Every structure is written in C-alpha cells, then in structure tokens.
C-alpha cells in the first residue's frame, strides 16, 4: 500500500548493500520503502552477495540488481555514472569499516565505490561492524572525515553483535533507517531549520558558591558540552537561551546568553526565561552553598579554622521538570557519574521527573577526562529506551542530541 502522505513517495534511492550478516535487514528495508512509494535501485557488493542474493533483492525491489560483476552490456544499458546520479539519495547499508575507509579515502576499486565517488547526490551510511572496529581510532578518523564531507550518518545501535560480543556496532534497525530517510526528505528537513520557532533553555558550566567576597566553592566543569549543544540547536533554527555559570568560553553567536554565578542565580535566570519548549540542564550545579557566607574576607585567626555551614542548593532540573504552570514540553537532564552509570542515571531520570537523561562517565579511569576535556561518551535514556553513543567530540555529541530533539518535533 502506498501512503500518499509519505515524504518518500516518488523518491528514488540507490541502496548499496555492503557485507555483513546484517545485510538481511536490507530486504525488509526495501520492502518497507517500496510500500512508502520509494523506488529502490540496488548495488550489491561482492561481500554483500555472501549474505543476500540478487534474486531476493530484485524480487522485492522489482528492479535489476547491479553487482561487481557489472558487465559491458550493463555498462551500455546503465553506465555507472548514470546509476550514481539517477537517485535522490544514496544509502550504504550495512557500511562496513572497510567501506567507510574506502569512502573516506576516495577509493574507487569496484562498482559501489566508483558510484559513490561519481555521485552528485547526498550520501547516507548506516555503519555496522564489531564494536572494537567501530571504536578503533582509524574508524573514528574515517567517520569524522565522512561527516566533514557531508555524509549523513545513521548511528549503529548497541547490544549483542553478530560476533557474540556486546557493544556498539549493530546495524540500525529498519525503523530507524526509515526514520532517518524520512527525516531527510521531510519538507522541513535538516536544511530548513527544523527547530525554527522553538525556544530552548540550556544551563551550562559550573556554579560558584561564595564563601566570602573573595573565595568560592566550584567544580571542574568547563561548559564545553553545554555551549556545544547551544550552538548545535541554534544551527537548527532554535531560539536558544543559554544560562551559563562562569567559564572561559566565548559567548556563542546567534543566541541569548545570561551569565550567572551561583545556583540560586541560575535558577532565577531559568525561571525568568520561561516559557520554553525544551529545557536542557547541562550545568554542573554545586549541590551545596555556604549558608554562613561572610560579608567580609575571612581572616586567619591564630590557627582557628573557619566553620563553614553548608545548605543544599535548589535542584534546577527538578524544579523545571515539576513546574505545574510552565513545564517545558521536553526536559532533558545530564547525569555525571563515576560508577554504576546506567543505573544511577535511570534513578536520576525518575527522581528528577525529566523526560530524557544523558548519562556520562566523568571518572578519569580510562582515557581523557570528560570534565574540562573535548570528548565525551554518553548513554541517552529516553524513558526506558537506551542508546549507547560511541566516544565522540563534544561538538559531535551536541549535534546528535540536537538531531534527536529535531526528530522529536518532526
Ligand atoms: N542539576 C540541577 N540543579 C542542581 C543539581 C543538578 O539542575 N542543584 C541538574 C544537572 O544540570 C544535571 C542533573 O541535574 O542535568 C544531574 O546532575 P548531577 O550532578 O549528575 O546529579 P545530582 O543531582 O547533583 O546528584 P548526585 O550529586 O547525587 O549525583
């Protein structure tokens, strides 16, 4: 049945099927895309042909399947240049580590890579591989290169992989691939500011809690992740209000920034900024403040230690999530954890009443520090739904999150 309202109706896809057990998912993908009115022409790589047959593909697509055994007759009938251009989108699924490396390097040693190099159409890839291969520095580099080249990425999922190991690298589910393709073709797609008209409130950075007029308590947050999210959302057309604790970062262009110091000031600024469609609390808000903050600089007195009394700060995330009048439609928290990341984050999601929580490991046990560093490894929880994202630059994590928010509104 063809859904008339589908943004895929009448669109043409060139599907390049790479090697890997997950290639079988492409059969269902083709069937579902056809139902939505899309025409699907396929190039089956030599390794892809180990897992699915040209016969099953053409049976579903209703079109001839092109393989590496592309003959002279084929070339006359349909040159590889025409093949690569008579499409509105080229999708590589599964995109193996090898295929990504070839694409990043611009190799053209078979029909699939030649078509990818010759195409003048947008390209999307759905990577699929063992989690070690996905996390390998070479694959990270290639992924970064492909993104810089404008290739759209459908991120792999996590769980048990075909090789029996657990981790990230599983080909995205058919629903997710279709979602990404539909999102691409939506009239208000990524190029047309999908978050235009949305007001998004973001907290970022640390808070400073005064001890006296010259001293304060703080934490190591740099504000980089929150600022990157603010930029990514503004790039998608959102009206962004960034409430930031003290950082060394320049105020991003194209958004409203409200600088604050303490948690109390941050809360007041957030409440003033309401109503908002989305609130994202990225700030590392100090849990406590000094309730007996001195009006004058505390002097040393014969070795006697000052007795600081602490009181709990307001929980901004919880207050926004439970606001009876002005609760934003989507409230997203961050969970900075050093152990039991997933369990602690899920408990936090419940306790604070937010809709999504982005959990990150801020321990310094393996790799570079998240707090203050440029990279982050996060798990996104949307209710019970869990997505493990690979280690990525904070800008990359920010773009992915912005994309998820755009999809929420798509
Ligand atoms: N948060 C907030 N206001 C606070 C404390 C935290 O808005 N006073 C927000 C943070 O911005 C983040 C989430 O709550 O989105 C979780 O912060 P985190 O520091 O991980 O947790 P805490 O609530 O402080 O709990 P704990 O220190 O026990 O881990």
């Amino acid at each position: 049945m063809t859904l008339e309202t589908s943004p895929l109706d009448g669109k043409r896809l060139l599907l390049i099927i790479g090697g890997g057990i997950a290639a079988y998912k492409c059969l269902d993908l083709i069937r579902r895309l056809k139902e939505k009115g899309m025409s699907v022409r396929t190039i089956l790589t030599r390794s892809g042909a180990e897992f699915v047959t040209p016969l099953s593909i053409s049976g579903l697509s209703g079109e001839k399947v092109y393989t590496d055994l592309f003959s002279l007759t084929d070339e006359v009938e349909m040159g590889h240049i025409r093949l690569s251009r008579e499409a509105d989108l080229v999708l590589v699924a599964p995109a193996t580590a090898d295929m990504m490396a070839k694409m990043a390097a611009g190799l053209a040693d078979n029909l699939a890579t030649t078509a990818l190099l010759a195409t003048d159409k947008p390209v999307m890839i759905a990577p699929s591989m063992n989690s070690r291969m996905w996390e390998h520095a070479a694959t990270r580099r290639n992924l970064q290169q492909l993104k810089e080249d404008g290739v759209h990425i459908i991120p792999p999922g996590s769980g048990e992989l075909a090789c029996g190991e657990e981790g990230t690298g599983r080909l995205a589910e058919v629903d997710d691939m279709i979602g990404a393709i539909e999102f691409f073709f939506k009239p208000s797609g990524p190029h047309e500011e999908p978050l235009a008209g949305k007001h998004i409130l973001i907290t970022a950075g640390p808070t400073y809690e005064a001890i006296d007029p010259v001293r304060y308590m703080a934490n190591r947050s740099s504000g980089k992740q929150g600022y990157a999210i603010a930029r990514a959302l503004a790039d998608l057309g959102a009206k962004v209000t960034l409430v930031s604790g003290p950082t060394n970062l320049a105020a991003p262009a194209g958004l409203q920034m409200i600088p604050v110091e303490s948690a109390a000031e941050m809360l007041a600024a957030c409440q003033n900024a309401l109503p908002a469609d989305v609130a994202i609390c990225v700030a590392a808000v100090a849990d406590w403040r000094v309730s007996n903050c001195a009006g004058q600089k505390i002097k040393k007195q014969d070795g006697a230690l000052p007795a600081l009394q602490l009181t709990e700060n307001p929980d901004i995330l919880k207050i926004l999530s439970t606001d009876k009048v002005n609760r934003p439609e989507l409230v997203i928290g961050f969970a900075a954890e050093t152990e039991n990341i997933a369990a602690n984050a899920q408990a936090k999601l419940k306790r604070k009443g937010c809709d999504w929580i982005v959990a990150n490991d801020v321990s310094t046990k393996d790799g570079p520090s998240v707090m203050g560093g440029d990279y982050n490894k996060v798990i996104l929880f949307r209710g019970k739904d869990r997505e493990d994202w690979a280690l990525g630059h904070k800008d990359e994590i920010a773009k992915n999150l912005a994309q998820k928010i755009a999809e929420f509104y798509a």
Side-chain angles (χ1 to χ4, degrees):
M1 181 185 57
T2 300
L3 299 177
E4 279 184 20
T5 51
S6 171
L8 304 187
D9 198 11
K11 294 284 189 293
R12 299 161 307 169
L13 179 74
L14 175 64
L15 174 64
I16 297 179
I17 303 183
I21 287 183
Y24 76 89
K25 288 187 187 171
C26 288
L27 298 178
D28 195 30
L29 178 68
I30 295 169
R31 186 183 63 76
R32 302 265 307 274
L33 292 174
K34 293 276 296 172
E35 277 179 3
K36 287 175 181 283
M38 196 174 208
S39 73
V40 184
R41 195 171 264 166
T42 312
I43 294 178
L44 181 61
T45 63
R46 196 182 294 262
S47 49
E50 302 285 337
F51 298 94
V52 286
T53 67
L55 196 61
S56 50
I57 297 168
S58 63
L60 286 163
S61 69
E63 303 227 17
K64 182 178 167 68
V65 175
Y66 297 86
T67 65
D68 277 343
L69 305 170
F70 206 53
S71 70
L72 212 53
T73 341
D74 286 341
E75 186 64 30
V76 172
E77 195 186 293
M78 165 67 73
H80 64 275
I81 305 279
R82 231 181 94 200
L83 186 58
S84 73
R85 306 222 175 132
E86 280 189 359
D88 299 302
L89 176 70
V90 181
L91 169 66
V92 186
T96 58
D98 178 65
M99 177 66 97
M100 286 174 61
K102 283 181 172 155
M103 288 174 73
L107 295 185
D109 59 349
N110 58 35
L111 178 63
T113 48
T114 308
L116 283 162
L117 206 59
T119 190
D120 58 354
K121 295 299 185 305
V123 176
M124 196 176 260
I125 62 169
S128 168
M129 65 198 73
N130 165 274
S131 56
R132 290 266 163 135
M133 293 167 81
W134 174 244
E135 272 157 25
H136 194 283
T139 308
R140 307 273 89 212
R141 269 198 311 276
N142 294 334
L143 183 67
Q144 188 58 32
Q145 184 60 57
L146 291 171
K147 283 183 181 169
E148 281 168 23
D149 294 345
V151 172
H152 302 263
I153 316 291
I154 306 177
S158 58
E160 195 178 339
L161 305 175
C163 53
E165 288 178 18
E166 289 270 337
T168 303
R170 201 159 70 175
L171 181 65
E173 295 306 325
V174 173
D175 277 341
D176 293 331
M177 288 195 269
I178 291 176
I181 300 170
E182 280 183 331
F183 183 68
F184 180 85
F185 283 113
K186 278 244 160 83
S188 59
H191 314 296
E192 296 191 22
E193 306 199 325
L195 292 175
K198 300 288 174 211
H199 177 210
I200 304 191
L201 170 66
I202 303 176
T203 69
T207 61
Y208 283 6
E209 307 298 334
I211 295 172
D212 67 19
V214 297
R215 304 181 179 94
Y216 58 82
M217 299 193 306
N219 59 63
R220 295 180 197 282
S221 169
S222 64
K224 285 180 187 168
Q225 185 65 83
Y227 278 53
I229 294 169
R231 275 194 306 272
L233 290 163
D235 282 350
L236 294 188
K239 173 183 167 226
V240 176
T241 303
L242 173 64
V243 178
S244 173
T247 72
N248 291 323
L249 306 173
L255 51 83
Q256 193 197 6
M257 182 162 116
I258 304 173
V260 295
E261 279 221 343
S262 64
E265 286 172 14
M266 187 172 269
L267 173 63
C270 287
Q271 288 179 318
N272 271 337
L274 293 176
D277 298 287
V278 182
I280 313 176
C281 293
V282 197
V285 184
D287 289 318
W288 308 281
R289 67 178 181 278
V290 180
S291 54
N292 57 343
C293 172
Q296 302 298 329
K297 184 182 174 204
I298 303 171
K299 305 298 282 180
K300 278 182 286 186
Q301 282 174 349
D302 297 331
L305 298 176
L308 298 182
Q309 279 163 20
L310 299 181
T311 187
E312 205 162 301
N313 263 332
D315 189 323
I316 301 167
L317 175 61
K318 192 168 180 180
I319 291 170
L320 294 175
S321 297
T322 51
D323 189 315
K324 291 217 164 55
V325 183
N326 266 327
R327 186 195 195 275
E329 186 180 5
L330 179 63
V331 181
I332 306 174
F334 267 66
E337 306 294 343
T338 54
E339 57 181 353
N340 303 326
I341 322 265
N344 283 341
Q346 271 168 322
K348 226 169 243 182
L349 177 110
K350 245 186 170 168
R351 196 167 71 237
K352 308 238 182 185
C354 55
D355 305 297
W356 300 359
I357 202 153
V358 182
N360 54 353
D361 184 351
V362 292
S363 67
T364 46
K365 63 183 181 334
D366 29 55
S369 164
V370 166
M371 275 205 153
D374 288 327
Y375 288 82
N376 203 354
K377 186 162 181 354
V378 308
I379 308 172
L380 172 66
F381 290 98
R382 290 178 288 184
K384 288 213 163 76
D385 178 61
R386 168 185 176 149
E387 257 182 43
D388 292 63
W389 295 1
L391 179 73
H393 193 277
K394 285 182 176 172
D395 286 345
E396 200 182 328
I397 303 282
K399 281 188 187 151
N400 285 346
L401 186 64
Q403 185 69 19
K404 295 283 172 195
I405 295 169
E407 282 169 24
F408 173 83
Y409 281 109

